[in-house]
């Protein structure tokens, strides 16, 4: 059983408004991410909110996903990852892995999430990352053996630290559209 954690706790400072709520193809970016996660067959789906939790939480379908508020969101990405992994271990102690994803990559598809899981089966690797723009990144799948490493992240560290640390354990799935993320007004207008 593979869970999904959607990291949506950031303050969107470069955007100047909660990007989780930007509308794309008739839904918010967060709703797109949740729908994709739910359709992937992964369970449970955990949404980690933070900076704008009060504004964003009404649009989260709480009957379908687990919503967690990261009170330490200002610490950075690591605190949201730790919050999500803790919630996953509590809700699904038998989870064998987790996919970390963000809500500002509008082109993440169900097929891509399934390719990450298939690549894990095909290669036996413990980490399967998305590959775009000469880098590895999210969405990224981690086997449960890496949960302690994810729980040990601090400050602004994201999961990329583990990709570098355990290079031999990493497989990649090409995701050219992964480089499209929405951080600024210009990014959103291009989208």
């Amino acid at each position: 059983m593979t869970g999904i954690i959607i990291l949506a706790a950031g303050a969107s400072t470069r955007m100047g408004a909660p990007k989780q709520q930007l509308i794309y193809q008739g839904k918010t970016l967060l709703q797109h991410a949740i729908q994709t996660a739910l359709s992937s067959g992964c369970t449970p789906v955990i949404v980690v909110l933070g900076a704008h939790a009060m504004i964003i939480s009404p649009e989260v379908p709480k009957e379908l996903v687990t919503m967690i508020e990261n009170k330490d969101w200002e610490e950075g990405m690591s605190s949201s990852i730790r919050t999500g992994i803790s919630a996953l271990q509590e809700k699904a102690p038998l989870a064998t892995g987790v996919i970390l994803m963000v809500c500002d990559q509008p082109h993440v598809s169900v097929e891509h999430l399934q390719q990450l899981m298939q690549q894990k089966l095909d290669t036996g690797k413990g980490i399967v990352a998305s590959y775009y723009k000469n880098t590895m990144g999210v969405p990224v799948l981690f086997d449960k053996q890496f949960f302690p490493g994810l729980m040990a992240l601090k400050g602004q560290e994201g999961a990329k630290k583990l990709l570098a640390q355990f290079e031999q354990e990493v497989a990649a799935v090409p995701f050219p559209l992964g480089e499209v993320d929405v951080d600024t007004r210009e990014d959103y207008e291009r989208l």
Side-chain angles (χ1 to χ4, degrees):
M1 173 175 44
T2 301
I4 290 187
I5 296 170
I6 300 173
L7 302 165
S12 311
T13 43
R14 286 185 285 172
M15 179 64 67
K19 61 184 170 186
Q20 299 89 331
Q21 292 196 297
L22 294 175
I23 301 294
Y24 173 63
Q25 293 180 343
K27 292 191 182 89
T28 68
L29 290 178
L30 181 56
Q31 287 166 338
H32 271 281
I34 289 170
Q35 185 178 3
T36 301
L38 288 171
S39 300
S40 71
C42 293
T43 181
V45 173
I46 295 168
V47 178
V48 181
L49 298 180
H52 303 290
M54 294 297 290
I55 303 167
I56 299 164
S57 63
E59 73 182 55
V60 177
K62 295 163 197 65
E63 64 286 354
L64 301 175
V65 303
T66 300
M67 188 182 75
I68 302 289
E69 189 175 342
N70 172 15
K71 302 276 189 206
D72 300 321
W73 63 268
E74 288 176 87
E75 181 193 330
M77 183 73 81
S78 66
S79 66
S80 289
I81 292 171
R82 293 193 312 267
T83 300
I85 295 291
S86 293
L88 175 66
Q89 290 177 316
E90 194 176 301
K91 186 149 180 75
L94 300 178
T96 54
V98 66
I99 294 175
L100 299 180
M101 61 184 277
V102 292
C103 68
D104 64 353
Q105 281 180 312
H107 298 296
V108 172
S109 64
V110 171
E111 294 71 32
H112 183 68
L113 297 178
Q114 290 171 340
Q115 285 172 341
L116 294 174
M117 292 184 286
Q118 190 59 50
Q119 186 76 322
K120 182 176 187 270
L121 290 175
D122 292 349
T123 64
K125 298 284 188 185
I127 302 172
V128 183
S130 300
Y131 181 78
Y132 44 89
K133 219 159 107 186
N134 300 318
T135 189
M136 303 252 218
V138 288
V140 58
L141 188 160
F142 287 94
D143 185 80
K144 69 174 182 215
Q145 76 190 69
F146 294 100
F147 288 4
L150 291 167
M151 289 297 289
L153 294 172
K154 297 272 181 264
Q156 293 299 324
E157 287 176 341
K160 253 191 180 161
K161 178 183 179 183
L162 297 183
L163 301 186
Q165 196 176 334
F166 299 102
E167 216 173 313
Q168 300 307 310
E169 271 296 318
V170 180
V173 172
F175 180 37
L177 287 172
E179 70 176 282
V180 178
D181 66 357
V182 184
D183 286 326
T184 63
R185 278 275 160 217
E186 292 71 38
D187 293 341
Y188 183 49
E189 279 158 21
R190 274 199 297 276
L191 181 66

